[in-house]
Amino acid sequence: MTDDAQLRPAISWRRNLYALWIAQTLTIIGFSLRTPFLPFYIKDLGAESFASQALWAGVINAGGAAVMAVSAPVWGIVADRFGRKPMVVRAMLAGSLTIGLMSLATSPWHLLILRFVEGGFTGTVTASTTLVAATTPRERMGFGLGMMQMAVFSGASVGPLFGGILADQIGYRPTFVVAGSMLFIGGLIVLTQVREEFTRPARGSVDEQSSQRLRALLLSSAMLAMIAVMLTLRVASSAIQPIMPLYVEQLARSTSTVATLSGLTLGIAGLTSAVASISLGRLADRVGQRPVLVASALGVGLLYLPQAFAGSVAQLIVLQGLFGVAAGGVMPTANAIVAHLTPAERRGAVFGFTAAATSIGGFIGPLGGSSLAASFDIGYVFLASGLLMLVVGVWVAR
C-alpha cells in the first residue's frame, strides 16, 4: 500500500512538518525546564541527603516512563483508528496540566503521582513522529524525522539552560508554571495549524491475518535491532539525567549558580544533537540509514566513557557537546528504518510499541543510574552507560 502522503497530496506535508517542529520544540523546552533543578526542588520538599535526592529523582523520572511503557501501545492503536493529530493534541495538553500542577507540590510523593499521570497521558514525541511519518513522502522520511528529532534536541538544549536560569532568578515553582504554559501553546499550534485528512478504517478491517503480520514485523530481526538501539540509548541517557545536576554540584567550585551550570551542561548536548540530527538525517537519505546509525551508536558509547573522569564543569560541558553530535544520529535513522519497515496504516501501532520499549529504558535507566550513584559514585553511571551502548552498537553492526 502506498504511503498516506501519496494518497492525500492535498495535505502540505511541509506545513505540517514545520508547525509540528515549532510545537514539539516548545513542548520539549517545557518538559526540560525542570531538569536542572529537580533534585534541588526535591530537597526543598523534604529530601535532605544526597542519596535521598538522587533516589527520589530517579524514582520520579522512572515512574512516568513505567506508566508510558503500558500506555504507549494503547495510544498507538487508538491513533491508527481515530487519527494521529488528536493524539498529539491530547499529549501536549495533558503534559501542560501535570507540569503546571507540579508547582503546587508539597512532598516528593506529589511529584511522583503527577509523573504517573504524565506518563499515562503524554508521549508527545511518539505522537508527533507517527503523524510526520504518515504525512511525509517516503524519499524525504529521513529529513522529516530528522526535523522532529531536531525539535527534541533543540528543546532539550534550550530547556535545561533556561530552566536553570529561571530557577535561580524566579524560583522553582514559577518555573513549573512557565513550563506548563509552553506545552499549552504547543497544543494550540497543532490544533489550529496542522491538517490531517484521516479516513477511519472500517470496523473489523484489522483482521487476525493483519494482526499476525504485525506480530511478525515486531519480532523481525531488523525491528528488534532498532528497538534495542532505541531502548539502550534511552537507558543510558535517562540514567545520567537525574544525577547530572548533582555531578555538576560536585565539580563546581561555586554553588550559587549550580542550577544554571547544570542547565548549561545538559543543554549543550541537546544543542549539538539538534544540529547533528538534521544533518545526519539528510546524509542518511543519501548514503543509507544503517551506516549512519551504526557509527552514531558506537560514537555515543565511546563518548560516555571519558565523562566519568571529568575534572571540571568545563571538561564535562565539552564532552557533553561531543556526545550530543553522536546521539543526534541515532534516533532519526532508527525511526526512519522503522517507518520504512512498517505499512502506513499500522505506523501508529508500531511506533506505539517502540515507544513502549524506550519507555522501559526510561524506567530502568533512572533507577539504575540513581542506585549506582547513591551506592558507589556518579562516575560508574557514565562507565556503565558507555559500555552498554558499545555492546549494542557492535551487535547491530554485526
Side-chain angles (χ1 to χ4, degrees):
M1 180 176 290
T2 56
D3 288 343
D4 287 359
Q6 295 171 321
L7 289 171
R8 302 178 178 89
I11 296 176
S12 172
W13 67 270
R14 291 183 184 275
R15 174 190 171 94
N16 282 356
L17 178 61
Y18 296 142
L20 282 165
W21 184 87
I22 294 171
Q24 186 69 293
T25 301
L26 288 172
T27 297
I28 301 302
I29 290 174
F31 277 127
S32 303
L33 284 179
R34 61 190 170 184
T35 305
F37 65 83
L38 184 61
F40 312 132
Y41 186 49
I42 292 170
K43 181 180 180 180
D44 285 356
L45 296 180
E48 295 291 341
S49 68
F50 169 85
S52 62
Q53 292 169 41
L55 289 173
W56 266 115
V59 169
I60 289 168
N61 277 275
V67 176
M68 190 174 290
V70 178
S71 65
V74 176
W75 289 123
I77 294 170
V78 172
D80 284 341
R81 179 158 291 277
F82 296 101
R84 285 73 183 236
K85 176 182 171 180
M87 298 300 101
V88 180
V89 175
R90 176 264 308 160
M92 291 180 177
L93 296 184
S96 172
L97 179 62
T98 56
I99 291 178
L101 289 175
M102 286 182 181
S103 66
L104 305 177
T106 58
S107 166
W109 283 105
H110 297 163
L111 297 181
L112 181 61
I113 292 170
L114 287 169
R115 277 289 288 153
F116 285 150
V117 177
E118 183 181 300
F121 289 93
T122 58
T124 65
V125 175
T126 302
S128 299
T129 299
T130 305
L131 181 53
V132 168
T135 56
T136 302
R138 183 181 182 88
E139 66 275 9
R140 303 307 302 277
M141 194 71 71
F143 169 72
L145 295 177
M147 282 286 290
M148 294 314 299
Q149 203 60 41
M150 182 184 181
V152 173
F153 288 133
S154 297
S157 66
V158 175
L161 177 57
F162 283 176
I165 294 172
L166 286 171
D168 286 336
Q169 297 299 318
I170 66 174
Y172 302 144
R173 295 182 187 276
T175 304
F176 279 110
V177 176
V178 173
S181 300
M182 298 189 79
L183 271 82
F184 184 76
I185 294 171
L188 289 182
I189 290 173
V190 176
L191 183 64
T192 59
Q193 300 301 316
V194 175
R195 291 183 58 207
E196 181 192 20
E197 294 182 10
F198 180 79
T199 302
R200 184 175 176 180
R203 185 177 298 273
S205 61
V206 180
D207 55 18
E208 179 60 27
Q209 187 177 12
S210 177
S211 299
Q212 290 176 355
R213 288 197 297 268
L214 177 61
R215 285 193 292 269
L217 172 63
L218 291 172
L219 295 175
S220 66
S221 59
M223 188 66 73
L224 289 176
M226 296 307 99
I227 291 173
V229 170
M230 291 188 283
L231 185 150
T232 305
L233 181 63
R234 182 67 184 277
V235 168
S237 60
S238 62
I240 299 299
Q241 189 177 71
I243 52 91
M244 183 66 86
L246 301 175
Y247 193 31
V248 171
E249 187 178 39
Q250 286 183 1
L251 296 175
R253 296 181 179 179
S254 172
T255 58
S256 60
T257 58
V258 66
T260 300
L261 284 174
S262 62
L264 179 60
T265 305
L266 289 163
I268 192 66
L271 178 62
T272 54
S273 294
V275 176
S277 64
I278 188 66
S279 302
L280 294 176
R282 282 175 168 163
L283 176 65
D285 281 338
R286 294 197 302 269
V287 304
Q289 310 291 341
R290 182 181 177 276
V292 176
L293 173 62
V294 171
S296 299
L298 294 175
V300 167
L302 290 172
L303 287 164
Y304 260 130
L305 301 179
Q307 294 184 55
F309 308 103
S312 66
V313 176
Q315 291 180 14
L316 187 61
I317 289 173
V318 171
L319 290 169
Q320 276 280 293
L322 295 172
F323 155 79
V325 174
V330 176
M331 293 304 292
T333 51
N335 279 326
I337 291 172
V338 170
H340 289 323
L341 291 170
T342 308
E345 71 274 9
R346 301 312 301 271
R347 282 181 183 153
V350 171
F351 276 114
F353 281 107
T354 60
T358 55
S359 295
I360 292 172
F363 171 73
I364 296 171
L367 292 181
S370 299
S371 299
L372 274 176
S375 302
F376 300 101
D377 184 77
I378 291 177
Y380 286 97
V381 183
F382 289 97
L383 293 175
S385 298
L387 291 174
L388 183 63
M389 200 68 202
L390 283 174
V391 168
V392 172
V394 170
W395 173 64
V396 172
R398 290 171 62 89

